[in-house]
Amino acid sequence: MKRLTRYEKNAQQISRGDAFIMCDFYGFKFLAYFILPIILYAIRHTSPRRYILYRMIQDNTVKQEIEDEWKGVRSFQSRIQAHLNASGGMGGVGATHQLRNISHNLTLLFAFSVLETTLKQLRDESVFNESRNGLKALMHSSQIHIPWRNFDLVDKAREDRNRVAHDQEILERGECWNIIDGIENELVSWNVVSTKIPFNH
């Protein structure tokens, strides 16, 4: 076997080093162009909670508007209840049971309006796809992309809201309170509303 000179050995070592560098380079390109997109796709489509935290409402102005609207819901709710409570004291006759319920049903409609605005904004920011603007379509299209805490509760409440809005049915005010609490739980968990707002019955 031919013995290699010192220069030939050095040349072989350099060639091997170049080969390793080339392997590293092409390995990095393979990772960047093929592996990472697959990982990102998997995170986006199999881990909706991580995705929604990353893709939560990007427009800070709209986010603030929605949060202010929700504060308005809670403020309206508390003011109604305070007036209803006051009307029953100080020798007053007091509001009828039906009037108490009607007052809180109006607040319920306001709360669902905020939820609808939120879902439309998330749709517009491509968190999920839906061409229709109806609340039912928005809710069901968002279900696998947004980490709903209790989708069934809010979906059933949506049907109750429709009966209030279109058929003039009136829910008991306690039902309205529970539904509004449920909507708030979703908005807080999605980081649209920063914190829960207490409501004193």
Side-chain angles (χ1 to χ4, degrees), residues 84 94-106 168-173:
L84 291 173
T96 65
H97 180 79
Q98 188 75 338
L99 178 58
R100 291 175 181 273
N101 286 340
I102 290 172
S103 300
H104 286 287
N105 275 255
L106 294 175
Q168 290 75 54
E169 290 190 18
I170 302 300
L171 303 177
E172 288 292 325
R173 62 185 182 276

Side-chain angles (χ1 to χ4, degrees), residues 87 115 138 142 191:
S87 69
L115 175 64
L138 292 166
S142 72
N191 198 29

Side-chain angles (χ1 to χ4, degrees), residues 160-179:
D160 293 335
R161 180 217 63 161
N162 289 343
R163 287 193 288 272
V164 171
H166 304 301
D167 302 327
Q168 290 75 54
E169 290 190 18
I170 302 300
L171 303 177
E172 288 292 325
R173 62 185 182 276
E175 293 182 65
C176 296
W177 298 341
N178 290 335
I179 293 169

Side-chain angles (χ1 to χ4, degrees), residues 22-72:
M22 291 300 291
C23 286
D24 288 342
F25 174 73
Y26 284 109
F28 176 77
K29 286 187 67 175
F30 179 77
L31 178 66
Y33 288 102
F34 295 99
I35 302 301
L36 286 179
I38 293 173
I39 293 173
L40 292 175
Y41 180 87
I43 291 174
R44 175 174 176 173
H45 291 276
T46 63
S47 183
R49 184 170 297 275
R50 290 183 187 177
Y51 180 57
I52 193 65
L53 289 176
Y54 171 69
R55 289 299 307 271
M56 188 42 62
I57 292 178
Q58 301 296 309
D59 190 322
N60 291 328
T61 301
V62 174
K63 182 180 182 300
Q64 187 60 54
E65 289 173 354
I66 292 173
E67 183 155 19
D68 289 343
E69 286 182 10
W70 187 255
K71 289 177 181 177

Side-chain angles (χ1 to χ4, degrees), residues 4-19:
L4 299 176
T5 66
R6 179 163 57 90
Y7 299 106
E8 289 173 331
K9 289 180 180 179
N10 289 340
Q12 278 191 349
Q13 290 175 350
I14 291 172
S15 297
R16 288 171 185 163
D18 290 342

Side-chain angles (χ1 to χ4, degrees), residues 73-103:
V73 170
R74 284 305 201 185
S75 175
F76 191 45
Q77 185 183 34
S78 295
R79 288 162 63 190
I80 284 175
Q81 189 60 30
H83 284 293
L84 291 173
N85 290 340
S87 69
M90 303 290 292
V93 176
T96 65
H97 180 79
Q98 188 75 338
L99 178 58
R100 291 175 181 273
N101 286 340
I102 290 172
S103 300

